[in-house]
Amino acid sequence: MTFSFFQVGLICLSYLSVLFAIAYCTEKGLISQRIVRHPVTYIFSLGIFASAWAFYGVIDLARNFGYGALVYYIGTGALFLFAPVALKPFMELARRFQINSTADLLTFRYHSHGVGGLATLCMALAMAPLIALQIQAVADTIHILTHNNGSSIAMSSQHFDSRQLMALVYCVFVAGFAMVFGSNREHHKGLITSMAFESLVKVFGLCAIGLFAIYKVFSGFDGLDEWLMNNPEHLRDLNTPTSNQSAHTLLLVFIATAVSMPHIFHMTVVENPVKNVTNTLSWAFPLFLLIMALPIFPILWAGLKLGDGFPTEYFPLAIPIASGSPTFTVISFVAGLSAATGAIVAISLAIATMILNHWILPATPLRTHQEIYGQLIWMRRVLIAVVILCGYGFYQILANRFNLTDLALTSFIATLQFLPGVIAVAHWSRGNRNGLVAGLLTGIVIWIIGLLIPMLQDQREVLMSFAQISFNIGIDHWGQLTLWSLGLNTLIFVTVSLATHQSNDEKYSAELCAEDELSHPIRMALDIRAPEELVERLTDRIGESTARVEVDRALEQLGLSASERRPYALRRIRDEVEANLSGLMGISMATEIMDRSIPYKVPEIEGVADINLMESRINEYRDHLTGLAGELNNLRLYHRRTLEELPMAVCSVGKDMEVLMWNSAMERLTGIPSETVTGSHLAEILEPWGELLDRFANSSSAHFYKQEVDLAGRTHWISLHQASIPSSVSYQAEGQVILIEDVTEMQLLEKELMHSERLASVGRLAAGVAHEIGNPVTGIACLAQNMKYETDNEELLESVAHILSQTDRVSRIVHSLVSFSHSGEQQESGFQQVDLYVCAQEAIDLIRLQREKRGQVIFHNEVDESLQVWGDSQRLIQIFVNLLSNARDACENGGNIRVAGTQLQKWAEITVTDDGPGIPTDLLDQVFEPFFTTKEPGEGTGLGLAMVYSIVEEHKGLLDIISPVDKVLQKGTKFVIKLPTALESDATTGNTSRPLSKS
């Protein structure tokens, strides 16, 4: 059964068109985001790990190593099984700092552009055999389909046959796909979805061929058992592999693939579109690998049974061909094609990104007068094509002289040399760039001499001598070369790292990557004051339009405004811009641009911890904290919330006067939200608080008492108190906490009490003056009386009458003043019958003496003149004075105030009514509380109505308030007082005060 080149080409074109369609629909939003961003899609996209070698070459591995071939799945599966520990640190670093490749990771960790360039070179060399493997697998399977012959698949070095042409056309199509869907700066959604589909096709194809082998070749599991019983040597081979290499070395090679292979790192870490997926990944991807491993041995045994002369590695395609099934032949070919395509796309994208970021951009400045994004996209596209075509060139050089397993092991061993440096990124902060470079060069040189050069010279085994020592090299000795290269690499890396000095920048980067990064942050300083300054400084390097786009992008991602001035916010914007530039042009170029244009400065005050940064990071991780860490975080949150909800205004500042905390009481007092002030310097806070707090914090005084500030047009008095926050590791203070106490009410009360004391003094003086005035007025009245009887002159008698009238008026006024001045507590036993009309009139007369207080109002005394109660006349006059004074203050000029009193059985009801605006309903419950007043500061103490309530209680009376009186006009207030009448003695009334009722 054979296929024509046209048919094979049509199959390849159809499959690649499907990949194009899936990627295009994803990019255009035609596929639901629930599917695109689902964790299952991401996990399937990681199936690029299983390249063409996993589909074909692993069969050959199973024949040579028996059960040892399973280490290919066990090694990688074990790494993903511990993904929360092994992979999550790299995922977090990639997400936070926009790390796009293994070279970026090493550059960031070891703070060296040279490390990135060296890593790129080593990765490019290491991936050449792996790309050639994918192309060789496609070319060989095309040859098998078109010739139905697997015994002569070696290429002729003299002629360019049709198979090579098909392989070249295939490379061109794959390059076009990668250039279109893998060159933008964002996560490649279309690429991820198409790679997930590719993995699905691959798994389906491999499982389909496995089932076909069991049921078509062996007629079911019983037939397979019978064949194995008849051929026990095949079961023996599983336990006693024919290869002389150790399966343990294989395990070491494969366990490192997820973190050292650039395309696996790219898809696992960089293209991860789902946050917090590591827990799912830890079991889902090993399950995927298990499904991939299940058909391996049935396919191997079926191929051995059929024995049609095909190479072992192509048994998945040979079995349906030998069985005469075109359907399963096409399924197997498409699955293998899919495996090769996914690997080539991912590898070319990863290598092209590394070359662009670490070779091209540092050596070729971008044209800032042109649009940078387009330049970068086209550079990346060209490099993707170059990488794929170079892989094709390497495939041409090798000319099928090595099988897929040889190519795969050569590539895997090269990438294995990155393992020590990658592990040290998150788990050994002492490692430095000197150790990495020395160790990596040692391992790569051994790999080049021992594997790459013999492969290029078509030699599987070479005997070399060095310093009179002979040893073998070549692919047949890959096990020893693996152990020697990795062992010396690790030894030199550790030794040199311990023996050489680590720079401050490198140490800072190492701490950022370490698991205990939350304990390290030092608050760095920036000499910028606004986001616009970032645009201005970046313009020279990346152009004004690009700089503005990147700064606006960072502001949007952080949810900050362009008017932001807080140092902490500006640091976050700067870091976000650097992270975004890292995603655009690599961390090496981004770091170089930002360090030159907007460098951090070491703070003038040493040891200033960035509390705000630590707080934000803990908030990001708090859902993942468990055990003691979770309990400590809960304790931290409890104490923090205690401070935040404390009813006293509190803020804390660092040694450099940057605000670290601004609690809710502080927000209410100042009117400044916490999110707008946290991270600012004290002096930059809105007035009047900035200057006051900064002056207080920098003073040596622990207290500022009664500082006067103007808030919303009203004067407030505050007292400030501060205390140092001691360091947990030294005797120096890490900052200080400032407490602000609003003492406005106390200050006003003190002023009112002082004013009341002055009034009391004036009252006592007035009483004394009134008493002294009484004697001469009495003398004048006596003289006038004498003159009345000593003359008959009408004019003189009329003058005498006027004199007597005025002296009588003066006497009444003096009597009222003297009576009102007799203050002091009287016991109920001193009560007597009191005429309420007289009390009300005396109160009116006293109020009228205070004409300077308000304009003219009209008082109406409508109390029944016969109405009497049992009580203290002076205390009752005090009631009327307070109520009438409040009523007068509430009325406009020309207003009316009515005092009325009637007899109600055993009670006397007195009402005081005004026609003012009334009392708001929400204030009715507060008007009798001491010190509550609606008047301006200095115009009232808030004690008048409280005193009225107290006096009414002393007289066993009741007090009520009605406001508004006029429900239509919503105006007027009426105070209703009920007192026991004079007919009821204190022994018979037996009344007690009851809660005030309001209507």
Side-chain angles (χ1 to χ4, degrees):
M1 181 183 61
T2 60
F3 291 79
S4 67
F5 279 107
F6 175 78
Q7 290 173 319
V8 174
L10 185 62
I11 293 172
C12 293
L13 182 62
S14 298
Y15 175 73
L16 292 176
S17 298
V18 171
L19 284 185
F20 266 94
I22 293 174
Y24 179 82
C25 291
T26 302
E27 295 289 346
K28 295 299 180 181
L30 301 178
I31 297 179
S32 172
Q33 289 297 311
R34 293 181 60 185
I35 297 176
V36 174
R37 300 188 65 83
H38 199 280
V40 172
T41 303
Y42 167 63
I43 290 168
F44 267 108
S45 71
L46 298 181
I48 60 163
F49 161 78
S51 65
W53 182 74
F55 191 85
Y56 295 119
V58 75
I59 307 298
D60 184 55
L61 194 70
R63 183 170 188 178
N64 293 325
F65 285 89
Y67 287 127
L70 294 178
V71 300
Y72 175 67
Y73 303 100
I74 295 174
T76 306
L79 188 67
F80 278 91
L81 192 62
F82 297 100
V85 176
L87 298 179
K88 188 175 180 179
F90 304 115
M91 292 181 177
E92 292 294 337
L93 285 171
R95 179 180 60 82
R96 190 161 68 243
F97 299 106
Q98 291 290 304
I99 293 174
N100 282 345
S101 64
T102 309
D104 276 355
L105 179 70
L106 296 176
T107 299
F108 177 77
R109 162 61 177 83
Y110 298 99
H111 206 81
S112 171
H113 303 321
V115 166
L118 175 63
T120 301
L121 175 62
C122 295
M123 281 294 184
L125 291 174
M127 289 297 102
L130 196 59
I131 297 177
L133 183 155
Q134 316 306 318
I135 299 173
Q136 179 172 314
V138 174
D140 288 350
T141 53
I142 291 175
H143 176 81
I144 291 172
L145 284 179
T146 55
H147 293 79
N148 193 18
N149 185 359
S151 59
S152 58
I153 59 175
M155 292 192 309
S156 171
S157 59
Q158 304 296 325
H159 303 287
F160 190 78
D161 59 23
S162 56
R163 173 177 38 163
Q164 294 169 274
L165 178 61
M166 289 288 290
L168 179 60
V169 173
Y170 165 74
C171 289
V172 171
F173 272 93
V174 173
F177 174 82
M179 290 166 65
V180 172
F181 298 106
S183 58
N184 59 310
R185 70 175 290 177
E186 305 292 345
H187 285 298
H188 309 110
K189 296 183 292 185
L191 180 65
I192 292 175
T193 309
S194 59
M195 292 300 99
F197 174 77
E198 173 266 319
S199 295
L200 192 62
V201 170
K202 180 169 50 188
V203 172
F204 171 78
L206 193 62
C207 292
I209 299 303
L211 293 174
F212 180 84
I214 292 173
Y215 288 99
K216 180 66 176 177
V217 178
F218 295 107
S219 301
F221 286 99
D222 292 338
L224 175 61
D225 290 340
E226 182 180 352
W227 183 82
L228 289 174
M229 292 178 62
N230 294 330
N231 299 274
E233 67 277 6
H234 296 303
L235 286 177
R236 275 196 312 272
D237 290 343
L238 297 181
N239 298 296
T240 56
T242 58
S243 174
N244 60 357
Q245 306 291 344
S246 170
H248 296 89
T249 309
L250 272 180
L251 180 64
L252 178 64
V253 170
F254 296 139
I255 201 171
T257 54
V259 292
S260 59
M261 297 291 283
H263 60 299
I264 306 297
F265 178 89
H266 185 85
M267 296 300 295
T268 305
V269 176
V270 179
E271 295 291 353
N272 178 9
V274 186
K275 290 184 179 180
N276 305 325
V277 75
T278 48
N279 291 331
T280 304
L281 188 65
S282 64
W283 63 266
F285 192 69
L287 179 62
F288 171 85
L289 295 177
L290 173 63
I291 295 173
M292 287 283 293
L294 291 177
I296 299 303
F297 292 108
I299 292 174
L300 171 64
W301 294 326
L304 293 174
K305 179 182 179 181
L306 294 175
D308 283 343
F310 287 91
T312 306
E313 57 194 4
Y314 293 118
F315 276 3
L317 187 61
I319 291 171
I321 291 176
S323 301
S325 174
T327 301
F328 279 89
T329 300
V330 171
I331 290 175
S332 177
F333 173 71
V334 170
L337 178 70
S338 178
T341 301
I344 291 177
V345 170
I347 293 171
S348 64
L349 176 59
I351 297 299
T353 299
M354 293 165 65
I355 293 174
L356 175 65
N357 293 344
H358 297 279
W359 287 2
I360 306 299
L361 290 179
T364 308
L366 293 170
R367 294 185 291 273
T368 57
H369 63 277
Q370 296 182 5
E371 204 271 323
I372 287 181
Y373 302 112
Q375 297 179 54
L376 293 174
I377 287 174
W378 279 107
M379 286 182 182
R380 188 174 286 113
R381 286 175 176 174
V382 171
L383 288 172
I384 288 173
V386 169
V387 169
I388 294 177
L389 292 178
C390 287
Y392 178 79
F394 193 80
Y395 157 72
Q396 287 283 84
I397 293 173
L398 295 181
N400 273 53
R401 295 190 298 268
F402 296 88
N403 62 26
L404 302 184
T405 301
D406 295 337
L407 294 175
L409 290 175
T410 301
S411 183
F412 288 169
I413 293 169
T415 57
L416 183 64
Q417 307 309 315
F418 288 90
L419 185 61
V422 171
I423 290 178
V425 167
H427 303 289
W428 191 46
S429 58
R430 184 63 184 85
N432 61 26
R433 69 173 71 98
N434 298 325
L436 174 71
V437 171
L440 181 60
L441 284 176
T442 300
I444 288 296
V445 167
I446 293 175
W447 172 78
I448 291 174
I449 296 174
L451 293 176
L452 184 61
I453 293 178
M455 179 173 284
L456 294 174
Q457 294 178 349
D458 191 19
Q459 294 176 315
R460 297 189 62 88
E461 183 176 3
V462 183
L463 182 65
M464 288 189 64
S465 298
F466 180 75
Q468 297 182 347
I469 299 176
S470 299
F471 52 91
N472 292 316
I473 61 174
I475 192 63
D476 288 341
H477 300 279
W478 65 265
Q480 293 89 335
L481 289 169
T482 298
L483 295 177
W484 274 105
S485 61
L486 182 62
L488 290 175
N489 180 351
T490 305
L491 178 63
I492 292 175
F493 173 57
V494 173
T495 303
V496 175
S497 294
L498 294 175
T500 58
H501 178 68
Q502 195 175 36
S503 69
N504 292 332
D505 290 337
E506 191 176 359
K507 186 180 298 184
Y508 180 78
S509 298
E511 291 175 346
L512 279 177
C513 297
E515 292 181 345
D516 60 344
E517 60 164 330
L518 293 176
S519 63
H520 94 282
I522 297 176
R523 190 184 310 145
M524 306 296 284
L526 287 176
D527 59 348
I528 59 173
R529 293 294 178 266
E532 188 63 29
E533 290 189 38
L534 274 79
V535 177
E536 295 174 0
R537 297 197 184 185
L538 290 172
T539 298
D540 292 340
R541 297 302 305 274
I542 60 177
E544 182 179 0
S545 61
T546 305
R548 192 167 299 280
V549 168
E550 292 301 323
V551 172
D552 290 344
R553 176 187 176 91
L555 290 171
E556 181 181 358
Q557 290 172 334
L558 295 172
L560 301 174
S561 68
S563 60
E564 188 61 69
R565 295 294 185 274
R566 294 177 295 157
Y568 167 64
L570 294 174
R571 292 196 300 270
R572 293 187 64 194
I573 296 170
R574 190 261 188 207
D575 291 342
E576 193 69 18
V577 169
E578 182 174 359
N580 291 337
L581 289 178
S582 297
L584 182 66
M585 58 184 64
I587 200 165
S588 177
M589 279 297 297
T591 302
E592 191 268 337
I593 289 173
M594 298 304 292
D595 286 347
R596 288 193 179 184
S597 302
I598 314 168
Y600 273 123
K601 295 183 178 180
V602 178
E604 297 178 359
I605 302 174
E606 295 183 0
V608 180
D610 199 335
I611 302 297
N612 291 315
L613 177 61
M614 290 191 287
E615 185 73 24
S616 64
R617 288 182 181 171
I618 291 176
N619 286 334
E620 291 180 5
Y621 287 97
R622 63 182 178 184
D623 294 336
H624 308 287
L625 298 176
T626 58
L628 181 59
E631 293 178 4
L632 290 174
N633 184 54
N634 291 334
L635 181 63
R636 177 191 68 85
L637 289 175
Y638 174 79
H639 288 302
R640 182 170 184 85
R641 288 168 184 161
T642 300
L643 290 174
E644 288 177 346
E645 300 304 324
L646 198 68
M648 298 290 290
V650 177
C651 73
S652 63
V653 295
K655 288 194 291 187
D656 58 351
M657 295 301 149
E658 184 171 313
V659 178
L660 305 178
M661 190 193 70
W662 191 268
N663 76 347
S664 56
M666 198 74 166
E667 291 183 350
R668 292 191 295 269
L669 175 63
T670 62
I672 304 175
S674 173
E675 58 270 16
T676 64
V677 74
T678 302
S680 301
H681 286 114
L682 276 180
E684 297 173 354
I685 300 175
L686 294 176
E687 293 299 331
W689 300 103
E691 185 276 333
L692 175 62
L693 291 174
D694 186 63
R695 176 163 50 87
F696 175 59
N698 286 290
S699 71
S700 58
S701 176
H703 309 281
F704 274 10
Y705 292 105
K706 297 181 181 178
Q707 301 294 304
E708 190 172 326
V709 295
D710 184 69
L711 299 177
R714 294 186 63 178
T715 301
H716 282 245
W717 287 267
I718 62 171
S719 292
L720 297 93
H721 316 276
Q722 67 171 315
S724 297
I725 302 176
S727 172
S728 57
V729 295
S730 66
Y731 295 102
Q732 297 181 347
E734 289 187 346
Q736 53 189 304
V737 59
I738 299 175
L739 185 146
I740 301 180
E741 184 181 7
D742 189 351
V743 294
T744 302
E745 291 187 5
M746 184 179 297
Q747 180 70 11
L748 292 177
L749 177 60
E750 290 179 358
K751 288 190 174 184
E752 291 295 343
L753 291 176
M754 293 173 63
H755 181 62
S756 298
E757 183 62 30
R758 287 196 298 271
L759 291 178
S761 300
V762 171
R764 289 192 291 270
L765 291 174
V769 171
H771 187 271
E772 294 299 325
I773 289 176
N775 292 330
V777 168
T778 301
I780 293 172
C782 291
L783 292 174
Q785 288 285 351
N786 292 336
M787 291 177 63
K788 180 179 179 181
Y789 295 106
E790 293 176 356
T791 180
D792 294 328
N793 189 319
E794 293 295 333
E795 293 182 1
L796 187 58
L797 289 174
E798 184 178 355
S799 297
V800 169
H802 283 300
I803 292 172
L804 290 174
S805 174
Q806 295 302 319
T807 55
D808 182 58
R809 182 182 177 189
V810 171
S811 296
R812 289 199 307 272
I813 292 174
V814 169
H815 176 72
S816 297
L817 286 173
V818 172
S819 298
F820 189 69
S821 68
H822 290 166
S823 60
E825 296 184 1
Q826 296 187 21
Q827 299 301 321
E828 193 174 344
S829 58
F831 284 3
Q832 59 185 354
Q833 293 182 358
V834 178
D835 191 332
L836 288 180
Y837 176 84
V838 174
C839 291
Q841 190 59 47
E842 286 200 25
I844 292 172
D845 292 339
L846 289 170
I847 294 298
R848 282 173 175 166
L849 296 176
Q850 301 176 336
R851 292 183 181 180
E852 74 281 358
K853 287 273 185 176
R854 293 280 298 180
Q856 194 70 29
V857 295
I858 303 172
F859 293 93
H860 303 275
N861 188 353
E862 300 175 355
V863 179
D864 187 346
E865 295 184 5
S866 63
L867 187 61
Q868 294 183 335
V869 296
W870 191 259
D872 180 353
S873 61
Q874 296 305 314
R875 303 286 279 172
L876 294 176
I877 291 173
Q878 182 71 59
I879 290 176
F880 285 112
V881 168
N882 288 348
L883 293 179
L884 291 172
S885 177
N886 285 343
R888 179 205 56 203
D889 292 340
C891 290
E892 300 293 336
N893 290 345
N896 291 278
I897 300 174
R898 299 182 182 277
V899 183
T902 57
Q903 180 76 39
L904 295 176
Q905 296 181 355
K906 300 179 181 180
W907 299 90
E909 182 180 86
I910 308 101
T911 61
V912 178
T913 308
D914 64 64
D915 55 4
I919 301 174
T921 305
D922 58 337
L923 299 180
L924 288 176
D925 291 334
Q926 305 177 59
V927 293
F928 292 104
E929 295 178 2
F931 307 113
F932 175 80
T933 179
T934 59
K935 299 177 182 179
E936 293 297 323
E939 294 187 7
T941 63
L943 294 172
L945 292 180
M947 186 180 297
V948 169
Y949 188 89
S950 177
I951 296 173
V952 171
E953 271 194 326
E954 291 175 5
H955 286 75
K956 309 297 184 183
L958 304 174
L959 179 60
D960 197 3
I961 181 173
I962 300 172
S963 182
V965 178
D966 190 331
K967 303 295 184 182
V968 178
L969 298 179
Q970 293 291 308
K971 62 185 299 186
T973 301
K974 178 189 287 187
F975 286 89
V976 181
I977 302 172
K978 293 181 179 180
L979 297 173
T981 62
L983 299 176
E984 297 293 328
S985 67
D986 57 327
T988 60
T989 56
N991 291 313
T992 59
S993 61
R994 65 183 182 183
L996 175 67
S997 62
K998 301 177 179 65
S999 58

